[in-house]
Amino acid sequence: MALFGFGGRRAPADQGAREGVIARVRRLGGFDAEVIVKVSEIVCADPACPGLETVILIMVPGDPTRAVKIARAMAEIGDADVAAALASAS
């Protein structure tokens, strides 16, 4: 589809914003270096979404991977957003 101008790629999220979200998740979740935290910013297809959504994967060795979603772009996420998302995932 990108050939016809549809579905072109978005610019990648700011690496500094990604690292900031990862640091918040580690600090607020109490996760050490053994826990893998991956953060992605996606376009939400649901009409109720604000457009961009941040998906956080938390991989604790020996546990199933947890996925946490925040209905904001990475650059807009603060401590309160991460704390609420982690609380709802527990």
Side-chain angles (χ1 to χ4, degrees):
M1 290 295 254
L3 176 65
F4 301 107
F6 300 109
R9 295 186 65 121
R10 291 185 308 103
D14 176 30
Q15 187 61 24
R18 181 183 320 277
E19 290 170 3
V21 173
I22 291 171
R24 283 183 173 91
V25 170
R26 287 192 179 286
R27 180 172 42 83
L28 296 170
F31 301 123
D32 59 22
E34 191 174 280
V35 175
I36 298 170
V37 178
K38 295 288 185 181
V39 179
S40 300
E41 189 176 83
I42 62 170
V43 176
C44 181
D46 185 346
C49 285
L52 290 178
E53 172 176 73
T54 300
V55 179
I56 303 166
L57 298 178
I58 303 167
M59 297 170 258
V60 178
D63 290 346
T65 299
R66 291 191 306 170
V68 177
K69 294 181 181 182
I70 300 175
R72 294 182 181 271
M74 276 187 225
E76 300 171 357
I77 293 177
D79 285 356
D81 300 311
V82 172
L86 291 175
S88 70
S90 299

